[in-house]
Amino acid sequence: MLALLPPASSIRALAFHRLLPVPLLLPPPRTLPRLDPGPARSFMAFSAEPAPVEEKVESEEESLPATAAAGGGAGDAGEVSHEEWRRWGTSSPLPAAVDAIVRELLEMEAAAGEKMRFGGVGSKLKGDFKDVEDKKHRAVYEMLADSDQKLQYYSARQIGCRLLGSRGYLCQKCWLPAADCMCSNIVPCNLWRGMKFWLYMHPKDFLRQNNTGKLLWQVFGIQAAQLCLFGIQEHEDIMWDAFQRSGKGKVSFLYPNKSTIPKSVKDLKFDGLSLTSDIHEMNSHEEPFNFVLLDGTWSNSAALYRRLKERWTAIWGDEDIPCISLSTLSASVMHKLRPQPAWDRTCTAAAAAGLLWELNLRPELSMFEFEKQAEAVECSLDILLDALTTRRVRLGRSITRKQRHNRNCI
């Protein structure tokens, strides 16, 4: 039987819809001269939704209060400032596309005369706003013919909603609710200045409470472990500019690429580097080794890899990008709480710690205290696990790891 909505509800929804302005279209992406002619893109460069199982897991692990509203943060209201943006863990200016999305949402809120409400995984809009904004953003999405524009719009919208929905709720450093903040327990550590981590993060992992990539800049600082958001043009340009300054020989990706034979840490060449026993010193003319960590669910990491490979080929002409596999990697402590597709797949922070441990085994690098740096990352993982476990116990949730894909687990 077809159920009809009460007339009053339909009229209210219609009136609400008419009050809202047409959403702003993103400006055309800036042309990058050094990449012309770019490779043709005949397919979508990203997955719009994670796998159903991972979506379910994410919703179980991260949940925002259904009453969270825009502008609810202490000291922050209205538009997102550059200062507020940087407090979330980045040194870059507020991306133009994200700023446009935030402004658009706030204009919709002002026109409707009521506060936006966010809730659930990823700070999703709730109530009348959800239905109306969803229709409008889909209309904009359909009008964008270029797949790269679609990706930029998708990423900016994900990030904009998470920024507004997390105000006044999540700590801007550890991304945990204020009541569960773990920042005072994190012990900072200096990373060897001859290397740098890049956290290439999917927008669905941005401000996610159980994300572990954030631990790297909490421990090493935002310059030693830099955030690069997938689909955010300014972030990606900054990262690739750094790669070009360092040279292709100083860029490696931690990703189990099965289409080629990955290198191990033993294969890395440090020729031409002035090795000094002081981890704080490095010649000003020397660029660091760049290690890229793909930070997202395993279904989304494939999209991250494809985009990296596409741009690598456009710049240097190589079909294969330099991937590193870790030979001594063990299961992350996060396996105790956060399910993984298999025991041999680990979290971002554990992969970084594994890399540092293997660098420590290189005799010519033993002076750089990689053991101390690896232990600092592992300690931060323990602190995050304790904070998440304590929170789940307080909320009456299970802290037992669910069994998934048992045939792949050891």
Side-chain angles (χ1 to χ4, degrees):
M1 180 181 294
L2 181 64
L4 299 177
L5 292 175
S9 175
S10 300
I11 293 173
R12 180 174 181 271
L14 179 61
F16 182 85
H17 184 283
R18 289 175 175 172
L19 280 172
L20 300 178
V22 177
L24 300 174
L25 288 175
L26 286 178
R30 177 166 54 87
T31 302
L32 302 177
R34 64 176 181 274
L35 295 181
D36 290 337
R41 292 173 178 165
S42 58
F43 56 88
M44 296 301 294
F46 65 98
S47 171
E49 296 293 339
V53 174
E54 288 182 330
E55 177 73 18
K56 180 180 179 182
V57 170
E58 186 178 355
S59 64
E60 291 175 351
E61 293 295 330
E62 176 189 18
S63 179
L64 298 180
T67 57
D76 290 318
E79 297 177 5
V80 176
S81 66
H82 290 290
E83 292 73 19
E84 180 186 352
W85 167 251
R86 290 189 176 103
R87 289 199 296 269
W88 290 110
T90 178
S91 59
S92 71
L94 177 66
V98 175
D99 186 38
I101 292 293
V102 170
R103 289 172 182 266
E104 176 187 311
L105 290 171
L106 293 174
E107 288 174 3
M108 291 172 63
E109 180 182 65
E114 61 179 85
K115 286 288 186 181
M116 286 182 284
R117 293 189 302 112
F118 297 87
V121 57
S123 299
K124 293 180 180 177
L125 284 166
K126 296 293 183 180
D128 289 328
F129 256 102
K130 176 183 183 298
D131 297 331
V132 176
E133 194 276 341
D134 186 66
K135 291 179 181 178
K136 288 184 175 292
H137 102 260
R138 288 180 184 276
V140 173
Y141 193 83
E142 291 298 324
M143 292 174 63
L144 299 172
D146 181 73
S147 64
D148 203 61
Q149 284 184 297
K150 290 179 183 288
L151 171 58
Q152 291 181 45
Y153 181 74
Y154 163 82
S155 297
R157 182 175 174 272
Q158 284 282 328
I159 294 166
C161 285
R162 288 168 185 253
L163 284 172
L164 292 177
S166 300
R167 275 178 164 176
Y169 174 58
L170 297 184
C171 168
Q172 290 186 286
K173 292 184 178 180
C174 67
W175 298 358
L176 294 181
D180 306 292
C181 178
M182 65 178 200
C183 293
S184 61
N185 297 323
I186 296 291
V187 179
C189 180
N190 290 313
L191 184 68
W192 174 47
R193 291 190 62 183
M195 68 180 291
K196 180 171 184 172
F197 283 119
W198 291 90
L199 282 302
Y200 192 43
M201 184 179 292
H202 194 278
K204 281 183 174 286
D205 253 65
F206 182 63
L207 303 189
R208 184 177 175 181
Q209 295 173 31
N210 63 9
N211 173 272
T212 65
K214 63 189 177 186
L215 296 174
L216 296 184
W217 65 73
Q218 282 194 279
V219 173
F220 299 126
I222 59 175
Q223 297 300 331
Q226 190 160 339
L227 173 65
C228 177
L229 287 164
F230 173 68
I232 299 301
Q233 183 171 291
E234 293 93 330
H235 274 209
E236 293 181 332
D237 287 349
I238 290 172
M239 182 174 71
W240 285 99
D241 286 344
F243 293 170
Q244 290 183 282
R245 288 195 303 270
S246 294
K248 60 187 294 187
K250 287 188 174 182
V251 182
S252 296
F253 302 85
L254 272 72
Y255 188 73
N257 178 20
K258 297 180 180 180
S259 63
T260 60
I261 300 177
K263 296 188 299 182
S264 69
V265 174
K266 295 179 180 179
D267 299 320
L268 293 175
K269 298 185 183 299
F270 294 91
D271 299 338
L273 180 66
S274 299
L275 299 179
T276 170
S277 60
D278 190 342
I279 67 170
H280 309 297
E281 293 183 1
M282 184 177 174
N283 292 338
S284 58
H285 68 277
E286 291 180 339
E287 295 291 337
F289 283 82
N290 300 277
F291 294 97
V292 185
L293 297 155
L294 280 63
D295 197 358
T297 62
W298 279 98
S299 62
N300 286 330
S301 68
L304 301 178
Y305 175 78
R306 287 195 301 270
R307 188 163 176 85
L308 289 170
K309 182 177 180 180
E310 183 181 76
R311 191 148 180 179
W312 179 275
T313 302
I315 294 175
W316 281 301
D318 297 339
E319 289 296 328
D320 292 325
I321 65 177
C323 293
I324 292 179
S325 63
L326 301 176
S327 57
T328 60
L329 193 63
S330 59
S332 166
V333 295
M334 290 296 288
H335 270 290
K336 299 176 182 178
L337 186 65
R338 188 179 74 179
Q340 293 284 357
W343 280 107
D344 60 345
R345 295 183 176 182
T346 193
C347 68
T348 303
L355 172 65
L356 293 169
W357 280 117
E358 294 194 21
L359 287 172
N360 188 62
L361 297 177
R362 296 276 298 258
E364 73 275 27
L365 303 178
S366 59
M367 66 187 77
F368 297 132
E369 302 180 359
F370 286 124
E371 179 180 5
K372 177 182 177 182
Q373 297 158 49
E375 289 176 345
V377 175
E378 291 180 343
C379 181
S380 69
L381 262 175
D382 290 333
I383 293 170
L384 175 61
L385 177 63
D386 289 343
L388 292 172
T389 302
T390 301
R391 172 175 171 76
R392 292 184 70 86
V393 170
R394 189 178 74 250
L395 297 177
R397 298 177 183 173
S398 172
I399 59 172
T400 303
R401 181 185 185 274
K402 295 183 178 181
Q403 297 297 320
R404 298 169 54 212
H405 306 282
N406 290 333
R407 66 181 182 276
N408 295 327
C409 296
I410 57 176

